[in-house]
């Protein structure tokens, strides 16, 4: 597992290596260029002398002429020139003749003497045919000591920089470790019932504050979910309590009046059957809600017109007097969806329109949007309607207008929450508009 401290050190080393490359490599090449350029300077001076000695006016080399030539040589820094002519030494600035001069081999190419001098010893001929020994010595000590100092200064600066970086890195590392430890401690101790993320006056980096905020939001979300779950269990228990109470009461009646009151017996059995059916429906709906699979819903080509006609047929079998008008403005109306889930949606909505529609005709329409991306299904009834303040609540689980349970066998308040969950899976949308005591329209938008 990677450690932040190690990673930080690595990054500092990368940066320092980069600094090293950026500064030292060009410096090295500049030094190298100057070093070889100084060699070039010796050759140029030698060429100059050769040219001077070959001139007619210098056929007979007198000491005066030699000094004249010396004066004409272009100035080159740290270059000493010695000439041995007719057993006499001449120097440019009357400088001392070094001891090693005569030991230098003649007509040799340039050599480096102890790495501090370039020297050249060449024998030339004067116009009279006499030997002229020329010694050119370039002192590199100034150049060397300049670069020695430069590299030394850079080296020292680099070492100081490394030390400084290590110090800064350690200081920075130490500054956020307590914050990380705090977050870890809090993460270990928080649970759904205790959400104590107080920072105890500790100053946090904004990144860590964001983590703490995320923790807080996560716990709040989990708390909300847990409350929803608790509510759900309470609602289910409440829904089951009433039929169980009724079943128990009728069972007692049957037990008591089994032989004496046949009429009561029939009435009790009918009530029992109705309650059991009611419970079965509730359990079916609950199971359906828990089984809706958000990930693994397969999609296929669904003819929405055919699907709506199927639903109308099923519903009118149980409600033969109910009039349902259906108009589809696109035929065939194929969408990429799931037949079973889509049918459940349409059935629940049309079912409600019939249940709460005061036996008036129900009108269903299918239209397509201008971009041909969505189809819109509207189901309109002219029934009891929904008050405006109740409109946002009707999609909540177990929400029934008026709150009374299974009033006239009308439902458990789960149908619309099932519709909502299915449409989440199918990428669909639902909206509702209503005029209380007059009409209600549900609009469903489905992707094509
Ligand atoms: P239920 O099974 O009770 O019908 P739903 O979730 O389908 O549950 O509906 C929730 C509530 O919304 C219903 O109890 C009903 O009061 C109201 N509702 C749904 N559809 C309509 C409608 N077409 N007209 C009037 N009220 C409706």
């Amino acid at each position: 597992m990677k450690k932040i401290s190690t990673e930080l050190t690595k990054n500092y080393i990368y940066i320092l290596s980069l600094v090293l490359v950026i500064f030292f490599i060009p410096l090295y090449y500049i030094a190298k260029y100057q070093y070889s350029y100084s060699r070039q300077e010796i050759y140029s001076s030698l060429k100059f002398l050769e040219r001077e000695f070959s001139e007619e006016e210098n056929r007979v080399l007198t000491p005066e002429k030699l000094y004249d030539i010396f004066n004409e040589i272009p100035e080159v820094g740290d270059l000493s020139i010695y000439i041995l002519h007719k057993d006499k030494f001449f120097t440019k600035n009357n400088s001392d003749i070094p001891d090693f001069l005569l030991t230098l081999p003649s007509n040799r190419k340039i050599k480096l003497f102890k790495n501090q001098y370039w020297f050249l010893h060449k024998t030339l001929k004067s116009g009279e045919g006499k030997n002229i020994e020329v010694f050119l010595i370039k002192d590199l000590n100034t150049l060397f000591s300049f670069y020695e100092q430069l590299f030394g200064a850079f080296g020292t600066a680099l070492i100081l920089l490394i030390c400084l970086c290590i110090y800064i890195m350690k200081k920075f590392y130490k500054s956020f470790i307590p914050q990380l430890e705090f977050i870890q401690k809090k993460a270990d101790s928080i649970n759904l019932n205790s959400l104590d993320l107080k920072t105890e006056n500790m100053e946090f980096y904004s990144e860590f504050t964001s983590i703490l905020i995320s923790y807080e939001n996560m716990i709040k979300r989990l708390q909300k979910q847990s409350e929803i779950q608790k509510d759900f269990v309470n609602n289910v228990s409440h829904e089951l309590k009433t039929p169980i109470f009724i079943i128990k009461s009728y069972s007692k009646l049957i037990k008591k009046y089994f032989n004496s009151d046949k009429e009561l017996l029939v009435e009790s059995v009918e009530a029992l059957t109705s309650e059991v059916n009611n419970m079965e429906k509730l359990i079916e709906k609950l199971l359906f809600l828990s089984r809706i699979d958000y990930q693994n819903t397969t999609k296929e080509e669904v003819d929405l017109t055919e699907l709506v006609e199927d639903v109308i047929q099923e519903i009118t079998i149980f409600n033969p007097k109910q009039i349902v008008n259906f108009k589809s403005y696109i035929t065939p109306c194929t969408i990429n969806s799931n037949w079973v889930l889509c049918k459940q949606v349409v059935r629940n909505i049309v079912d409600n329109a019939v249940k709460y529609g005061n036996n008036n005709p129900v009108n269903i329409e299918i239209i397509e949007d201008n971009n041909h991306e969505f189809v819109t299904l509207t189901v309109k009834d002219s029934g009891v309607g929904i008050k405006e303040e109740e409109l946002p609540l009707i999609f909540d689980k177990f929400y029934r207008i008026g709150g009374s349970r299974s009033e006239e066998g009308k439902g458990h308040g789960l149908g619309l929450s099932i519709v909502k969950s299915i449409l989440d899976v199918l990428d669909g949308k639902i909206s509702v508009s209503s005029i209380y005591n007059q009409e209600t329209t549900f609009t469903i938008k489905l992707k094509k």
Side-chain angles (χ1 to χ4, degrees), residues 285 348-357 379-381 383-386 390 393-404 406-407 410-419 432 434 439-442:
K285 284 179 185 171
N348 282 4
I349 299 294
V350 180
D351 218 17
N352 278 351
V354 172
K355 270 196 293 187
Y356 304 106
V379 180
K380 184 178 173 186
D381 68 75
V384 295
I386 305 167
E390 294 199 272
L393 306 171
I394 56 170
F395 295 98
D396 291 351
K397 286 190 186 84
F398 296 108
Y399 190 82
R400 283 183 304 245
I401 292 175
S404 63
S406 206
E407 181 200 329
K410 278 192 173 165
H412 299 99
L414 285 173
L416 288 179
S417 54
I418 290 178
V419 166
V432 56
S434 182
E439 58 171 58
T440 304
T441 308
F442 280 89

Side-chain angles (χ1 to χ4, degrees), residues 71-166:
N71 285 334
E72 280 171 37
I73 295 176
E75 201 58 48
V76 175
D78 296 324
L79 178 69
S80 309
I81 302 172
Y82 307 92
I83 289 175
L84 180 63
H85 181 58
K86 292 182 183 167
D87 298 331
K88 197 169 177 238
F89 263 113
F90 298 89
T91 65
K92 194 176 172 200
N93 305 318
N94 281 330
S95 47
D96 293 338
I97 295 152
D99 301 336
F100 62 85
L101 205 61
L102 286 170
T103 63
L104 299 179
S106 73
N107 289 332
R108 284 280 178 84
K109 291 217 169 143
I110 278 173
K111 270 196 179 168
L112 196 63
F113 184 64
K114 281 191 181 167
N115 281 340
Q116 279 159 7
Y117 299 94
W118 282 122
F119 80 84
L120 182 65
H121 175 196
K122 187 107 182 169
T123 308
L124 303 176
K125 289 276 181 210
S126 72
E128 306 170 279
K130 294 262 188 294
N131 279 355
I132 311 169
E133 305 291 338
V134 179
F135 302 89
L136 295 134
I137 298 176
K138 169 91 179 171
D139 187 349
L140 298 173
N141 281 312
T142 324
L143 189 72
F144 274 19
S145 68
F146 168 73
Y147 279 104
E148 252 170 36
Q149 280 171 17
L150 200 68
F151 277 99
F154 266 123
T156 321
L158 196 75
I159 290 166
L160 285 176
L161 207 68
I162 292 172
C163 296
L164 194 73
C165 285
I166 292 171

Side-chain angles (χ1 to χ4, degrees), residues 220-232:
K220 278 182 186 158
R221 271 200 315 275
L222 289 175
Q223 276 176 339
K224 205 172 161 197
Q225 268 174 6
S226 134
E227 266 157 33
I228 291 172
Q229 256 174 356
K230 269 189 213 158
D231 272 1
F232 184 76

